[in-house]
Amino acid sequence: MELAYIPSPSRGVLYLGPIPLRGYAFCIIIGVFVAVWLGNKRWIARGGRAGTVADIAVWAVPFGLVGGRLYHVITDYELYFSEGRDWVDAFKIWEGGLGIWGAIALGALGAWIGCRRRGIPMPAYADAVAPGIAFAQAIGRWGNWFNQELYGRETDLPWALRITSSADGRVPGFYHPTFLYESLWCVGVALLVIWADRRFKLGHGRAFALYVAAYCAGRFWIEYMRVDDAHHILGLRLNNWTALVVFLLAVLYMVVSAKKRPGREAVVEPGASDDATGTEPAEAASEASDARVADGAEDKPAGKAGSEPDEAGAGTADAVAAGSGEARDEAESAKKS
């Protein structure tokens, strides 16, 4: 008896007139917005300008989408270039199929171009956006739910995913929801990076390396559960080997970076601190001036300056009065004599 399971959507696309609204695309777009929003907050907290993360994302996101699609098409080329397949489908990104490894690789290239144009250190930018990328992956994985893809082995667990589609070799049934496992894992990775960055003041790309290492650790066991077709090397899926190699490289980077460049960057965006210090004193001076005017302090210097002539005038009058008195005394003395 079926007690509980996660249902699959009856379809992954809705039509607004002639315009298709695809769940997979919506998940990707929402994920990008979350990553940029959180990255911007972290960048400002590190001393950068507002809007810089979005400006660089204009380069990173398109490169990442192309890289993710290229990785998927190259590693699953038989889906598009074997007999009976249409190679044009390789461009239909909305139907699913993005490899995170290619997305991060080419996305990093796009971010490097954007950082170089702005004179920003790439490692500092990577540290700022790392948790946001993990959250974006967590949201993006729900696109696989809309497409009924990337599920695991059969199971009778109460949170089993029910697959109803039989397209592309799918067999309807109840399977491990590996999309959900990876989504929850990515949320945990994002929280881990945020905590570690606050606790240890990670810098010079180490927060990003921690994200990569933590993601790869989860991806290894989640990938091992999947049952969709994949290339195998020595009994392991290709993505398992990729996760293992990238994990080791990320850990090695953290160790070497911590020894060579301990601490965190003092300046992440040249000129940002000048902008802040250039405006605050002026505002403070204006506020102080207003306060003096309100207290009547502005009149005090003028009053002091004005008192000096008054004192001088009073002294002159006294001298004139004294001189007049002496003249009258002399006149009276002359009369008596």
Side-chain angles (χ1 to χ4, degrees):
M1 181 178 179
E2 299 174 3
L3 296 178
Y5 59 85
I6 300 174
S8 290
S10 57
R11 54 180 176 174
V13 57
L14 297 174
Y15 287 90
L16 184 62
I19 303 174
L21 305 176
R22 302 183 183 275
Y24 186 90
F26 268 112
C27 290
I28 298 297
I29 293 171
I30 294 172
V32 170
F33 274 104
V34 169
V36 172
W37 171 78
L38 181 58
N40 182 66
K41 289 178 65 68
R42 287 172 53 82
W43 185 251
I44 293 173
R46 288 287 305 275
R49 292 188 179 97
T52 296
V53 169
D55 292 343
I56 297 176
V58 171
W59 289 89
V61 172
F63 273 73
L65 291 174
V66 172
R69 189 61 175 177
L70 280 176
Y71 182 89
H72 167 72
V73 171
I74 292 172
T75 55
D76 292 304
Y77 61 88
E78 65 277 358
L79 298 177
Y80 308 99
F81 302 105
S82 60
E83 186 177 354
R85 298 284 185 169
D86 187 358
W87 63 271
V88 176
D89 292 340
F91 297 94
K92 297 179 180 179
I93 191 173
W94 54 87
E95 294 183 354
L98 288 175
I100 185 60
W101 317 110
I104 294 297
L106 271 193
L109 175 60
W112 178 81
I113 294 173
C115 288
R116 188 172 180 82
R117 290 168 59 90
R118 297 290 295 265
I120 291 172
M122 173 68 179
Y125 180 83
D127 286 341
V129 300
I133 294 176
F135 279 126
Q137 287 179 254
I139 297 170
R141 273 306 176 200
W142 284 86
N144 302 129
W145 176 68
F146 281 102
N147 288 351
Q148 297 196 38
E149 59 186 2
L150 303 187
Y151 45 86
R153 297 186 294 269
E154 286 189 287
T155 182
D156 57 357
L157 292 171
W159 56 83
L161 172 66
R162 184 178 185 181
I163 297 297
T164 58
S165 174
S166 58
D168 296 327
R170 297 185 182 91
V171 178
F174 298 89
Y175 300 89
H176 277 283
T178 51
F179 85 91
L180 177 61
Y181 298 161
E182 186 168 340
S183 179
L184 294 176
W185 183 268
C186 288
V187 171
V189 169
L191 297 177
L192 170 65
V193 174
I194 292 173
W195 170 82
D197 193 27
R198 290 177 178 175
R199 174 67 176 80
F200 303 105
K201 303 298 181 183
L202 301 176
H204 302 286
R206 289 189 288 277
F208 185 82
L210 176 61
Y211 144 71
V212 172
Y215 171 76
C216 289
R219 180 62 184 267
F220 185 89
W221 67 266
I222 293 171
E223 187 74 24
Y224 193 76
M225 297 179 64
R226 285 169 51 173
V227 295
D228 52 306
D229 292 333
H231 297 285
H232 287 72
I233 301 175
L234 299 177
L236 287 178
R237 294 164 65 97
L238 175 60
N239 283 335
N240 280 115
W241 286 107
T242 305
L244 180 60
V245 172
V246 175
F247 171 83
L248 294 175
L249 291 175
V251 172
L252 178 63
Y253 177 87
M254 284 192 290
V255 173
V256 175
S257 175
K259 290 183 178 180
K260 289 190 173 182
R261 307 188 70 182
R264 174 185 280 184
E265 299 91 340
V267 178
V268 297
E269 186 167 4
S273 59
D274 295 340
D275 293 345
T277 57
T279 56
E280 291 176 0
E283 294 174 357
S286 177
E287 293 175 359
S289 177
D290 294 341
R292 286 197 301 269
V293 170
D295 295 337
E298 290 287 345
D299 297 331
K300 291 181 181 179
K304 184 178 181 180
S307 65
E308 292 175 359
D310 292 340
E311 292 174 358
T316 303
D318 292 343
V320 171
S324 299
E326 292 178 357
R328 282 197 302 271
D329 293 340
E330 292 177 358
E332 291 176 357
S333 176
K335 289 178 181 179
K336 290 178 180 181
S337 56

